[in-house]
């Protein structure tokens, strides 16, 4: 509360109350259960785009669904829809009629429809569409994988006035998952584009410049995420604890791409059986998020952690569980030369951290 008045005893005085800018009013969230699952591995690192709020206030949401314990033979896409006022009943089946899937991406499709892309683990990517969001029958097609490798952990967004341009990034099956190397990479991240809603693909399984075997040994599942497109601007982020952290951006709807480095890993081309790491560098933990503002400028946040690899015989790397932090970067900012938390803080880029309150 502040008092404003006058030294003149004859002048009137007033009392104003205002809210301190450093204190936010208490928010009481409204929560609604929209779905359930016993299959609880929703991501390996970064989260897919599984929720969309349409311009009319309606909303669609998806998740990996499965309730039959063991092999989860019923695993697939859980889906629910809100008309802007209330959500539908909690679903008891997946949207894929007969195909076992996982890791769905959800996006608007066509003038008033919606689509879901998920991996199948053997058949390629299951692409389900319907012309009216929230109702009707889903139509499924299969995006066939490259000749030698299935595709896993896909991410999909749509762009264009009628959301008829479909953009996919997906990972070739890594060796540890039963796959083989692809063009010299153990887990290659490939880009594909359709300009007619998925009927045909004018760019298919492309290795983008700066993401080839010349720069990386391979990538891991879910270490990448899309931003929601803005006009012809597309962008996705890639990075985890043993690779660079960077953004790939296109300003022409996916025809050409530019790589924007955020952090160069101190151990490039890291390979666990041969790369000994006795120091404990600060790195990105693989949890990332990315968005573009109305002008198409990219903004990202990512988690911090410390790692080492002091044993080349155990097939594992190590990390420090109680190191943490969330850092921020936007397009045009300089590359981080270190992700040590004090340095990130000094740069003004540390936006969250675990507090020691006891």
């Amino acid at each position: 509360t502040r008092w404003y008045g006058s030294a003149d005893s004859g002048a009137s005085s007033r009392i104003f109350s205002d809210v301190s800018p450093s204190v936010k009013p208490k928010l009481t969230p409204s929560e609604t259960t929209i779905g359930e699952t016993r299959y609880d591995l929703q991501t390996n690192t970064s989260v897919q785009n599984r929720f969309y709020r349409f311009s009319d206030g309606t909303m669609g949401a998806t998740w990996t669904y499965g309730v039959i314990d063991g092999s989860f033979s019923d695993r697939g896409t859980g889906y629910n829809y809100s008309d802007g006022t209330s959500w539908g009943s909690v679903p008891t089946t997946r949207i894929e009629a007969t195909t076992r899937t996982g890791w769905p991406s959800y996006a608007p499709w066509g003038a008033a429809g919606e689509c879901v892309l998920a991996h199948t683990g053997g058949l390629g990517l299951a692409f389900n569409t319907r012309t009216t969001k929230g109702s009707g029958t889903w139509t499924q097609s299969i995006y066939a994988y490259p000749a030698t490798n299935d595709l896993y952990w896909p991410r999909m967004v749509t762009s264009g006035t009628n959301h008829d341009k479909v953009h996919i990034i997906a990972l070739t099956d890594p060796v540890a998952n039963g796959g083989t190397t692809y063009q010299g990479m153990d887990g290659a991240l490939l880009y594909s584009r359709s300009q007619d809603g998925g009927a045909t693909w004018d760019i298919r399984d492309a290795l983008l410049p700066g993401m080839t075997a010349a720069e990386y040994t391979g990538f891991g599942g879910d270490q990448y995420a899309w931003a929601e497109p803005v006009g012809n601007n597309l962008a996705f982020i890639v990075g985890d604890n043993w690779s660079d952290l960077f953004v790939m951006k296109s300003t022409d709807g996916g025809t050409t791409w530019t790589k924007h480095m955020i952090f160069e890993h101190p151990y490039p081309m890291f390979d666990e059986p041969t790369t000994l790491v006795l120091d404990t560098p600060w790195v990105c933990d693989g949890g990332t998020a990315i968005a573009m503002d109305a002008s198409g400028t990219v903004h990202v946040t990512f988690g911090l952690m410390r790692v080492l690899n002091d044993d080349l015989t155990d097939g594992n790397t190590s990390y420090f569980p109680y190191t943490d932090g969330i850092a921020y970067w936007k397009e045009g900012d300089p590359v981080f030369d270190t992700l040590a938390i004090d340095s990130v803080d000094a740069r003004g880029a540390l936006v969250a951290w675990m507090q020691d309150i006891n």
Side-chain angles (χ1 to χ4, degrees), residues 79-237:
Y79 165 88
N80 206 333
Y81 177 79
S82 170
D83 60 7
T85 302
S86 60
W87 289 88
S89 302
V90 171
T92 57
T93 59
R94 62 193 177 193
I95 68 169
E96 297 88 357
T98 59
T99 310
R100 184 179 186 271
T101 70
W103 275 253
S105 277
Y106 175 77
W109 181 78
E114 57 192 344
C115 59
V116 175
L117 184 79
H119 71 218
T120 65
L123 301 175
L125 303 178
F127 185 52
N128 278 273
T129 63
R130 59 183 180 181
T131 56
T132 303
K133 55 186 170 66
S135 65
T137 302
W138 293 93
T139 299
Q140 180 171 295
S141 60
I142 295 294
Y143 180 92
Y145 54 83
T148 58
N149 288 73
D150 199 0
L151 296 172
Y152 280 82
W153 307 293
R155 301 286 194 272
M156 173 194 65
V157 290
T158 59
S159 65
T161 303
N162 287 323
H163 296 280
D164 52 358
K165 296 176 175 60
V166 182
H167 309 271
I168 297 172
I169 50 175
L171 196 73
T172 61
D173 196 5
V175 173
N177 198 50
T180 60
T181 57
Y182 182 86
Q183 297 192 25
M185 302 183 73
D186 184 6
L189 190 58
L190 307 181
Y191 169 71
S192 302
R193 179 183 72 181
S194 170
Q195 301 206 63
D196 54 12
T200 61
W201 300 85
D202 64 329
I203 300 176
R204 195 176 185 100
D205 306 325
L207 266 177
L208 298 180
M211 297 180 60
T212 70
E215 296 86 19
Y216 302 103
T217 57
F219 299 102
D222 292 334
Q223 70 170 86
Y224 39 87
W226 277 110
E228 186 62 30
V230 176
N232 283 324
N233 295 295
L234 303 169
F236 61 90
I237 188 170

Side-chain angles (χ1 to χ4, degrees), residues 45-70:
T45 47
S46 296
V47 178
Q48 287 166 298
N49 41 307
R50 295 180 176 174
F51 175 89
Y52 192 88
R53 184 182 185 277
F54 296 87
S55 59
D56 61 1
T58 60
M59 296 170 280
T62 59
W63 60 95
T64 300
Y65 168 89
V67 297
I68 300 177
D69 290 337

Side-chain angles (χ1 to χ4, degrees), residues 225-247:
W226 277 110
E228 186 62 30
V230 176
N232 283 324
N233 295 295
L234 303 169
F236 61 90
I237 188 170
V238 183
D240 71 355
N241 52 341
W242 292 110
S243 72
D244 295 339
L245 178 65
F246 59 92
V247 164

